Amino acid sequence: LANIKNFNLKKPNFKIIFFLIGCITFSNGYSQIDSLRNIWEDEKISDSIRFEAIKKYYITHTYAEPDSVLVLIDYHYSLAKEKNSIREIANALNEKSYAFFIKGDTKKSMESLLESIKFIKQLDAPLKLATIYSNIGNIYGEEKKYQEAVRYFNSSLEIFRKQNQKTGEARMLNNLGIIYNDIDAYDLAINYLNNSLELYNKLNKEKTTGLTYYHIGKVYYNKAEYSLAIEYIEKALVLLIAENNDSMAANCYFLLSKVYKKLNQLEKAYDFIEKSLAIDYKIKNTAKIINARTLKASIIYESNPDEATKQAEEILKLVQPEALNHLKADLYNLLYKCYKAKRDYTLALSMYEQYGIYSDSVQIEKNNIVIIREAIQNEYDRKLYENNLESEKEKAALKVLQLKRTFAIVIISTLFIFCFVFYFKSKIKKNQLKRDLLLDEIEKLKNNANKGLIADYSKFELNREKIERAINRKLNETDWKVLNLLLEDPVITNKEIAEKVFMSVDGIGSSLRRMYEYFNIIESKNKKISLLLEGIKISNNSSSTA
């Protein structure tokens, strides 16, 4: 690698192609902007359509051109106040917070959110409040106030779940995964991020998973699993570019550069950091510019320490006192190595002293992160325990409810069976009583046949002639035999009759059914007794006629 700083000049043809594509995109982009501007500035169009046009502009430009968005937000805010729309005032302030956050100004971003909350609370809009809480969590995460970030993300997650808003739930799972990665709780981070990814896929929102893929890649980078890191970051990059999310695309390029530097593939590392820087300059995020330029200079250092020294000195001029400690530590460490390579030991020692100061601060931050991680882990474990306890209580309550239902079913079933048995016993008893009465009547009729007393009622005989005349038809021999067997034993079974007349049980049943019809027997129970009783009555009736 002769001189890596000239690497990006080796492919001028590609630059021309990208320039031409950029011109076409730029032209199309401005055409769309003009179209949207014509809508939101047209006072004849309904307010809802005008606000919708502003929203569409935000979607495609907030992450790519926060400065131009801030200009529109002022117009949006004024229009919302003019129309006395509290909802749109809150929307404008929320979008303002996004824009400042992308530019790296977390202070102004938080100010906008806190002002927005005042208006949100005037509305019955829990989902908007959940979104505000999420954004506050993002700011606290950026400021390394991780406990506060987790608290706000969990509050937001709770609202989204209560409202059954699955997209918001997926976003909060993603945000919690980011925080757990930042505090080196990698297993928890992967768990939350994968849950987020799974939920997005269930909702058929695969196109919005770029952010999740990026952070999964970041976790794998932190775990030194570089192949997996590259795989996920490349997936993220495709989706984020399609969303026009330049800010996160720059993060992807930056992380890929770090991965390839770790793998000692410096040309690729240099190429990706250049792409990241191009976007950072466009967005004007000073912290990201310093971070990316420091990484670029450290890549150049491997082949050209003099050029790296020159660039590191230029970066140092950009560093403000409020810059993050890790940015200062990385830069002073690079300068220390550069001056040491040039044998300028005085400056090297000076840079090392500065590096030591900020390195100590970074170490203190890392130690604090360990404490914070334990606190968050304890809070997570406590909440998990409470959720499990609540779940156990719900299970116990459900079990008691099921036992009560089972007990009620058993009681009702027992009562039903008791009533059923009682009913049938009563019915059987009633039928038994009726049968006994019929049998008594038969005995009386036998004893009083032909208007005289018969000493031996067993000698009573049925009068076939009278019976045939009464029913106006002739009885066949089988029917007559059956009738006489009933006379001998009124409660005889069909099987016993069949055995005595040498016929089948079905044949006896057929014979009885015929006679029930002949004698007009409609009694449902004790039909054979009723049939015999009718035969005896007819036989005792001296004046019986057809």
Side-chain angles (χ1 to χ4, degrees):
L1 190 64
N3 191 342
I4 199 164
K5 73 186 183 76
N6 294 320
F7 172 71
N8 62 325
L9 301 176
K10 294 178 182 179
K11 302 172 183 177
N13 293 336
F14 285 106
K15 276 197 162 186
I16 294 169
I17 293 169
F18 289 142
F19 175 76
L20 292 173
I21 292 171
C23 288
I24 295 168
T25 306
F26 183 79
S27 176
N28 290 337
Y30 261 92
S31 175
Q32 184 187 26
I33 292 168
D34 289 340
S35 177
L36 291 172
R37 183 181 288 108
N38 290 337
I39 294 171
W40 73 59
E41 290 182 350
D42 192 340
E43 296 181 1
K44 296 177 183 178
I45 297 175
S46 69
D47 295 338
S48 60
I49 294 175
R50 293 174 72 186
F51 286 127
E52 187 62 29
I54 292 172
K55 181 181 175 182
K56 284 182 180 178
Y57 182 87
Y58 289 153
I59 290 170
T60 55
H61 292 81
T62 298
Y63 290 102
E65 302 172 39
D67 284 329
S68 67
V69 165
L70 285 169
V71 174
L72 176 58
I73 287 168
D74 290 338
Y75 175 84
H76 183 187
Y77 184 83
S78 299
L79 181 63
K81 288 196 75 173
E82 179 189 330
K83 302 298 180 181
N84 196 28
S85 173
I86 295 173
R87 185 178 297 274
E88 288 301 328
I89 291 172
N91 287 344
L93 290 169
N94 194 34
E95 204 65 41
K96 191 174 187 178
S97 172
Y98 276 127
F100 280 125
F101 183 79
I102 289 162
K103 286 173 65 65
D105 194 336
T106 55
K107 184 180 178 182
K108 286 185 179 179
S109 181
M110 182 67 86
E111 287 172 357
S112 299
L113 283 178
L114 295 177
E115 189 179 352
S116 176
I117 286 178
K118 295 176 186 176
F119 294 97
I120 291 292
K121 287 185 175 178
Q122 297 179 41
L123 305 168
D124 182 18
L127 292 178
K128 283 193 172 293
L129 188 61
T131 301
I132 297 295
Y133 285 160
S134 168
N135 293 340
I136 290 174
N138 284 328
I139 292 172
Y140 278 132
E142 191 70 15
E143 293 176 343
K144 302 187 184 301
K145 297 176 181 177
Y146 300 118
Q147 284 177 282
E148 290 88 342
V150 168
R151 194 174 300 120
Y152 272 96
F153 286 147
N154 278 325
S155 297
S156 182
L157 179 62
E158 188 177 344
I159 295 171
F160 282 129
R161 282 178 170 165
K162 280 184 180 177
Q163 298 293 320
N164 197 30
Q165 221 289 334
K166 297 295 183 182
T167 303
E169 181 182 344
R171 194 165 65 249
M172 289 311 99
L173 292 172
N174 178 81
N175 287 352
L176 284 163
I178 294 170
I179 295 297
Y180 289 125
N181 181 40
D182 288 343
I183 61 173
D184 303 335
Y186 301 131
D187 290 339
L188 268 179
I190 286 290
N191 183 45
Y192 272 89
L193 291 168
N194 280 333
N195 286 341
S196 172
L197 195 62
E198 184 180 344
L199 188 51
Y200 274 128
N201 290 334
K202 280 183 182 177
L203 297 168
N204 294 320
K205 292 183 177 289
E206 294 88 350
K207 291 181 180 179
T208 61
T209 55
L211 192 63
T212 309
Y213 277 123
Y214 165 75
H215 285 289
I216 293 174
K218 194 173 179 182
V219 175
Y220 283 125
Y221 169 79
N222 290 335
K223 294 177 73 175
E225 297 180 31
Y226 300 126
S227 295
L228 281 171
I230 292 169
E231 179 185 335
Y232 278 94
I233 299 165
E234 286 179 346
K235 283 182 182 178
L237 198 52
V238 172
L239 294 168
L240 293 166
I241 289 172
E243 284 183 339
N244 202 33
N245 191 337
D246 286 2
S247 177
M248 285 307 302
N251 288 353
C252 286
Y253 290 133
F254 180 83
L255 191 52
L256 282 170
S257 180
K258 288 178 73 175
V259 171
Y260 283 114
K261 186 174 184 291
K262 289 283 186 182
L263 295 172
N264 204 34
Q265 297 182 34
L266 299 182
E267 287 192 10
K268 283 187 175 181
Y270 186 88
D271 185 36
F272 282 119
I273 201 60
E274 283 282 77
K275 290 179 179 179
S276 178
L277 264 171
I279 298 172
D280 293 335
Y281 280 122
K282 178 182 173 184
I283 293 172
K284 298 178 183 177
N285 186 320
T286 304
K288 289 177 76 173
I289 289 169
I290 291 170
N291 207 15
R293 286 189 65 180
T294 302
L295 177 59
K296 178 183 173 181
S298 70
I299 295 167
I300 293 171
Y301 170 82
E302 301 298 329
S303 61
N304 192 339
D306 289 338
E307 178 62 26
T309 305
K310 180 181 175 184
Q311 293 205 19
E313 288 172 343
E314 290 175 2
I315 298 166
L316 188 59
K317 296 173 185 176
L318 299 174
V319 177
Q320 299 297 318
E322 64 272 14
L324 296 172
N325 288 327
H326 77 87
L327 294 179
K328 295 176 184 175
D330 288 345
L331 182 56
Y332 282 119
N333 185 41
L334 175 61
L335 283 165
Y336 159 69
K337 289 194 292 184
C338 287
Y339 289 133
K340 185 180 175 183
K342 294 179 68 174
R343 300 181 184 278
D344 191 339
Y345 298 115
T346 303
L347 276 176
L349 181 60
S350 175
M351 294 299 106
Y352 188 78
E353 288 173 352
Q354 291 295 317
Y355 166 69
I357 293 169
Y358 294 109
S359 180
D360 289 344
S361 299
V362 171
Q363 188 58 49
I364 290 169
E365 289 174 5
K366 286 182 178 179
N367 294 338
N368 289 338
I369 284 175
V370 172
I371 296 168
I372 291 168
R373 181 170 68 246
E374 289 178 0
I376 291 175
Q377 182 70 54
N378 290 336
E379 178 69 16
Y380 174 82
D381 292 340
R382 184 188 65 79
K383 195 165 185 178
L384 188 63
Y385 173 76
E386 288 176 355
N387 288 341
N388 288 337
L389 191 63
E390 190 65 30
S391 178
E392 289 300 320
K393 285 181 181 177
E394 288 177 3
K395 285 179 183 177
L398 184 61
K399 195 172 182 179
V400 170
L401 182 61
Q402 286 173 339
L403 285 172
K404 286 181 179 178
R405 285 177 179 173
T406 304
F407 186 65
I409 290 168
V410 169
I411 291 175
I412 292 168
S413 300
T414 303
L415 288 171
F416 177 78
I417 292 168
F418 175 78
C419 293
F420 185 79
V421 170
F422 178 79
Y423 169 76
F424 275 97
K425 276 190 173 182
S426 299
K427 194 169 184 181
I428 290 168
K429 191 174 181 180
K430 187 177 178 181
N431 288 331
Q432 184 70 40
L433 181 62
K434 190 172 183 180
R435 191 187 74 165
D436 292 344
L437 290 171
L438 288 171
L439 290 171
D440 286 345
E441 189 176 354
I442 287 172
E443 287 187 21
K444 287 178 183 178
L445 287 171
K446 284 182 178 180
N447 287 327
N448 293 290
N450 296 319
K451 299 181 181 180
L453 294 174
I454 299 175
D456 187 1
Y457 65 79
S458 64
K459 294 179 180 179
F460 177 85
E461 294 181 355
L462 293 169
N463 190 317
R464 186 169 183 173
E465 184 182 348
K466 285 183 180 182
I467 290 171
E468 289 178 343
R469 190 165 57 246
I471 64 175
N472 196 26
R473 68 180 66 240
K474 294 288 182 180
L475 291 172
N476 61 38
E477 288 305 315
T478 300
D479 294 347
W480 181 247
K481 286 178 182 178
V482 170
L483 202 54
N484 278 287
L485 284 171
L486 289 175
L487 182 63
E488 292 176 11
D489 183 3
V491 293
I492 192 171
T493 65
N494 288 8
K495 185 179 179 183
E496 290 171 333
I497 296 171
E499 289 173 353
K500 290 187 177 185
V501 298
F502 306 106
M503 289 183 65
S504 68
V505 175
D506 289 340
I508 298 304
S510 179
S511 173
L512 286 168
R513 283 193 295 276
R514 280 198 304 274
M515 287 193 285
Y516 294 151
E517 186 178 345
Y518 297 160
F519 287 84
N520 196 26
I521 303 301
I522 58 174
E523 170 71 38
S524 60
K525 298 288 183 181
N526 306 310
K527 279 189 172 184
K528 285 185 281 190
I529 296 174
S530 296
L531 174 63
L532 176 60
L533 180 60
E534 193 64 29
I536 291 172
K537 284 180 179 179
I538 293 170
S539 297
N540 282 346
N541 188 355
S542 58
S543 61
S544 180
T545 59

